[in-house]
Amino acid sequence: MAEVMFFIAAIVALAGAGGTVVLRNPFYSVLALVSHLLGLAALFLLLRAEFVAAAQVIVYAGAVMVLYVFVVAYVGGQDRPLSPRHGPGMRAIALLFSGALLVEIFIAVIGSGLSVLDTEGTGFFATFGSPGEIGKLFLTKFLLAFELASLLLLVAAVGAVILARRRSGLDDPRELSVADLLRSPESGTIADAERGSLQEAAGPPGR
Amino acid sequence: MSITWYLCVSAIVFSTGVGGVLTRKNPLVVLLSLELMLNAGNLALVAFSRAHGNLEGQVFALIVMVVAACEVAVGLGLIVALYRRRLPIDVDKLRELQG
């Protein structure tokens, strides 16, 4: 049964990966990637990684792919065919390179001689892959990585907002900035008056 | 199923992603191919975690997912910024850093 499930999930994942690369319309590429992620989540379940599979479906196939779909719908999918500006030679070299990489990884995996790779895995305990065990590891052994991940998410969110904001919106007088909110209305007038009086006290600029 | 099968699937998905990054010109599809490569790495990490019977590979896979989400947010922000400035959405025509 596990073998049948493995082959179904692997075929779905590989077909999704191929479709992501081959399909011309970016919208269909996103949909193919969603099917790839679902197949990969099934593979994670077969590897007893329940929490990773759930996070894969919810975070990846849910949130991140919705972001992709919105951006594809906003930018508009240009489904024009590949323009051979560099000719078919560069493309053949690229495909040759990825094929050579595939052969190299196969040689490394199959020829590694690690005896653990021929088994179904060792040391499987009852709560393997449960959210409790992973949370325990995150809060004890990998606490620094956990905090750094949260910091990275904050930086990426701020960076994405700054990158994607409207450029012309900065000159819009109806738009409020943070400095406007921090400045109270009466302090502005007092500061102007004081600046004026100081300039008068200093006299005309002689230098 | 032995762990080798999972690693072979991971290798094929990774090579597919490399081919996509190298051949496609739409930056959206390049980002999708990067996702493929990261997911292939995730599959290998989870497979090794299962092989050795400890959960650290799964923790690593979750961190990789966080980094991939950040990369997607910044990359899609860049594409939206390109579109707003009427620049071509084509990685071959975007050769200059000068705005």
Side-chain angles (χ1 to χ4, degrees):
Chain A
M1 188 60 192
E3 284 82 4
V4 178
M5 288 302 293
F6 171 80
F7 280 110
I8 291 174
I11 286 170
V12 168
L14 291 178
T20 304
V21 173
V22 169
L23 288 176
R24 289 286 171 257
N25 194 336
F27 193 76
Y28 293 151
S29 288
V30 174
L31 293 184
L33 189 65
V34 170
S35 74
H36 164 76
L37 293 175
L38 293 179
L40 214 58
L43 286 180
F44 286 163
L45 278 182
L46 286 174
L47 285 168
R48 305 286 196 277
E50 288 93 0
F51 183 64
V52 180
Q56 173 99 1
V57 171
I58 293 171
V59 175
Y60 250 121
V64 174
M65 287 304 122
V66 168
L67 194 63
Y68 265 111
V69 167
F70 271 121
V71 172
V72 169
Y74 178 69
V75 173
Q78 291 102 350
D79 52 350
R80 59 173 185 269
L82 287 179
S83 58
R85 273 184 59 210
H86 294 307
M90 295 300 282
R91 210 172 153 207
I93 289 175
L95 291 178
L96 187 70
F97 178 73
S98 59
L101 193 65
L102 178 66
V103 171
E104 183 183 352
I105 299 175
F106 267 142
I107 289 172
V109 167
I110 296 174
S112 67
L114 289 175
S115 60
V116 72
L117 292 186
D118 294 330
T119 65
E120 286 200 25
T122 57
F124 170 60
F125 49 93
T127 58
F128 189 80
S130 70
E133 292 292 319
I134 289 181
K136 233 181 273 175
L137 272 180
F138 261 131
L139 291 180
T140 55
K141 194 173 177 183
F142 298 104
L143 185 60
L144 180 64
F146 186 62
E147 296 296 334
L148 282 179
S150 63
L151 187 66
L152 183 66
L153 279 172
L154 176 68
V155 170
V158 173
V161 168
I162 287 179
L163 277 173
R165 71 161 198 263
R166 258 184 321 168
R167 304 279 169 177
S168 60
L170 288 181
D171 300 327
D172 194 353
R174 288 167 301 175
E175 188 170 339
L176 280 178
S177 71
V178 181
D180 291 337
L181 293 177
L182 289 179
R183 192 194 314 146
S184 60
E186 58 270 6
S187 73
T189 56
I190 290 172
D192 288 343
E194 281 178 350
R195 195 182 304 133
S197 64
L198 277 177
Q199 279 176 353
E200 287 166 5
R207 287 179 290 165
Chain B
M1 300 303 295
S2 68
I3 300 297
T4 308
W5 284 93
Y6 293 96
L7 293 179
C8 290
V9 172
S10 164
I12 296 172
V13 172
F14 189 85
S15 307
T16 311
V18 170
V21 169
L22 290 178
T23 54
R24 296 304 296 264
K25 295 186 175 179
N26 194 334
L28 276 165
V29 186
V30 171
L31 275 179
L32 289 172
S33 303
L34 280 177
E35 295 289 316
L36 282 181
M37 294 162 71
L38 287 168
N39 276 308
N42 264 351
L43 181 59
L45 285 171
V46 174
F48 278 119
S49 155
R50 177 78 180 87
H52 291 287
N54 60 4
L55 283 174
E56 295 169 7
Q58 296 190 13
V59 171
F60 203 160
L62 286 169
I63 296 287
V64 168
M65 285 169 68
V66 170
V67 174
C70 294
E71 168 244 328
V72 165
V74 175
L76 291 181
L78 278 174
I79 292 174
V80 169
L82 287 178
Y83 180 72
R84 288 225 169 111
R85 302 186 64 146
R86 305 284 186 268
L87 289 172
I89 310 288
D90 187 337
V91 290
D92 274 348
K93 293 175 186 163
L94 297 169
R95 297 184 177 183
E96 299 173 350
L97 287 175
Q98 170 194 357

